[in-house]
Amino acid sequence: MTIVLLQDVLDTPGLGIRLLHGDAAALARPVHRACTTDMPDPTRYVSAGSLVFTGLVWRRAPEDSEVFVAHLARAGVAAVAAGEALLGEVPADVVDACARHGLPLLAVPDDVPFSTVLEHLTRQWSSARMDRLQTGLARQRRLLAAFADGHALGELLARVCREFDVPAWVFSATGTLVAGNDELGESVIDACCDVALSAPRFPAEIPNGYTVLPVGSALRDRTTAWFLVLGPAAARNEDCVDAFTELATVAALERVRREDRLRAAWDTADARGVADAAGAAHPAGTPLVAVVVERTPAATPEQHVALRAVVSDALPSCVTGIDAAGRTVAVVAGTESDVVAVLQRRLGRLAPVLAGARIAVGVSGTCAGESIDGGIRSAESAAAIARGDTGPVSVRAADLDSAVGLLSAVPDRVRRAFADRTLGQVLDYDRRTRAGLMTTLEAFLDCDGSWRRTADRLHLHPNTVRYRIGRVEALTGRNLAHIGDRLDVFLAVRALA
C-alpha cells in the first residue's frame, strides 16, 4: 500500500525542498494531509498528522517563532514546511524553535509555489486512498466469508490483532467484554466507555493512547451499543484503523445474532415467568439473586426494552422480564455482594448518556429456587429506596437493617393482612368516591410530609392536601405527625406495592 512519508516529499524531483531539522525517524513519519496557514495562532487551521506550509507572514520578531511552533507541536502536526520567498531564507529562530519542540522543518525554495507541492501531494494521496480502498474491500470480503463459515468473532479479532501487532477488544456500553483475550484494567475500561458514550464522532482517541471505533450504528442509542477499542499507537497507523473498521462490520453482524438469541430467551422467560424460568435454568440449590431496575422519570416502551437489554448485557447469564410497572426484573446466579459490585461498575458507566434520567436498582439477598418470588419483592423494596438517592445511577442491596427491607422478608399473607388492616378503609373510600386519597398519601410520604412539596407535585392547593391527609388520618386512626404512626402507614403503602 502506498503511504506518503516525509522523506518522499524531500525526494520529489524538481521541487528542491531541503531538510533544515529532523532525523531519520522523523523522515519516516507518514504525512496524512497538508494545509497552509500564516495565522499567529494556527491551532484552528491544522490537524494531527498534517504537513503545515507557512510563508512566515506571522513572524514579526524572533520570539514569534517559539509561539507559532509551540502551537503546532501541541496540535500534533507531522512537520513544518517554511517558504523562503518572503524573507529570502528560513530564519535561525524558526529552526531553533522546531528543534526545541521536535518538529521536522523543511525549506521550500522561493521559486516553488506551495500550490505545486500541494498538487503533487494530492496525487500521491489519491493513489494511496485507492490502494487502501482496494485492500480494505479485499480484507472485508475475507472477514465476512470467514464469519459466514462459522468462525467466531473472537477468532477474527485475534487474526487482525496478529496482523498489526496491536491488542484490541470489543466491549458493550457497560464495559462488558464481548471479544478479546488480553486483560484490560477496569480504570482503562472506564475511560474507554466514557469516551465511547460521549464522543461526537469516531474514531475517538483517549488520552492514554487507546482508540475507540463504533460497531454498527453506535450513535443512535449508545446505552446498548458495542465499541471496538484498539491498543495504544494504533491511531498512528491508518491501515490498522482501516482494518479494524472493517472488522467492526463483522462485529455488527455478531451483535445482530446475539440480539436475536436474546429476544428468543426473553420470549421464553415472558411465557414462563421470570421466577419459573430462572428456577428451571439452574440446578436446585444454586444461590440466586433477584434484581429490579427502573428508569425515572417513567420510560417509554422503547426505553423499557433498552433497559432490559442493558441489564442482560451487564449480567450476561441472567433471566429477565418486564413487570407491570415497566421495571426490568432479573434473576442471576451469584452472591449479593458480587452482583451489587458488577451493577455499580457497569451501569455506572452509562451516566454520560442518561441525559437527566436516573437508574434505580434494587438487589435482593441470596435466595434459592423456591424463594425467588420473595427475592424479587425484596429487590423491589431496595429499588424504592434507591429511587430516593441522588446521582444518575443508584444500586441498593435489600439489607434487613431497614424497615422496608425487613418488611420484604415477611410472608405475602402477613404483609397483605397488615396493609389491609392499616389502609383498608382508605382504599374502600377511594373505590367509592375516587377521592385520590392514596395518591395524595403516597406523594405526602415521598415528600417527607411537606405540604407545599406535595401540593406542587400533585398540582393541588395546599389546603386540598391538608384536607385529604386529614381524611386519611380519620380513616386509619393514625396521626401522621407522629413518627410511629407515619412509619406504620409508610410500611402499609410499601406492602401494597
Side-chain angles (χ1 to χ4, degrees), residues 308-320:
R308 186 177 185 179
V310 165
V311 174
S312 298
D313 172 62
L315 301 171
S317 60
C318 71
V319 176
T320 66

Side-chain angles (χ1 to χ4, degrees), residues 10-237:
L10 288 171
D11 293 342
T12 303
L15 295 181
I17 296 176
R18 309 184 312 281
L19 178 67
L20 298 183
H21 171 72
D23 55 18
L27 296 179
R29 292 183 184 180
V31 179
H32 302 305
R33 59 196 67 83
C35 59
T36 61
T37 182
D38 273 302
M39 298 297 293
D41 182 355
T43 307
R44 294 176 55 189
Y45 309 97
V46 302
S47 57
S50 299
L51 174 57
V52 179
F53 287 83
T54 176
L56 302 178
V57 176
W58 47 266
R59 184 184 178 277
R60 304 294 184 184
E63 54 268 23
D64 293 340
S65 298
E66 172 64 24
V67 176
F68 183 81
V69 173
H71 283 309
L72 295 180
R74 282 193 293 271
V77 304
V80 183
E84 297 179 320
L86 179 65
L87 302 176
E89 63 178 358
V90 178
D93 49 88
V94 177
V95 180
D96 292 341
C98 287
R100 281 193 298 273
H101 290 279
L103 271 183
L105 175 63
L106 311 182
V108 182
D110 58 3
D111 60 344
V112 177
F114 286 169
S115 59
T116 300
V117 186
L118 292 173
E119 288 173 3
H120 169 75
L121 291 175
T122 299
R123 289 193 295 270
Q124 294 292 101
W125 284 319
S126 296
S127 175
R129 280 194 292 271
M130 183 59 67
D131 287 348
R132 287 174 56 196
L133 178 61
Q134 292 174 344
T135 300
L137 289 173
R139 182 188 292 112
Q140 190 172 73
R141 284 195 294 268
R142 291 195 301 271
L143 290 171
L144 290 172
F147 184 72
D149 286 342
H151 291 267
L153 174 61
E155 181 183 345
L156 300 180
L157 178 65
R159 181 185 301 179
V160 181
C161 288
R162 287 193 299 270
E163 180 180 350
F164 291 94
D165 193 26
V166 170
W169 305 261
V170 177
F171 288 105
S172 68
T174 65
T176 303
L177 182 65
V178 177
N181 296 322
D182 295 335
E183 290 293 329
L184 197 59
E186 292 290 349
S187 61
V188 177
I189 298 175
D190 289 343
C192 292
C193 288
D194 185 60
V195 169
L197 294 174
S198 58
R201 64 185 64 86
F202 294 97
E205 287 194 52
I206 302 171
N208 55 18
Y210 291 81
T211 301
V212 179
L213 301 173
V215 173
S217 54
L219 291 175
R220 286 191 300 179
D221 182 359
R222 298 201 193 188
T223 63
T224 58
W226 283 9
F227 301 94
L228 206 163
V229 176
L230 313 184
R236 293 196 290 271
N237 185 335

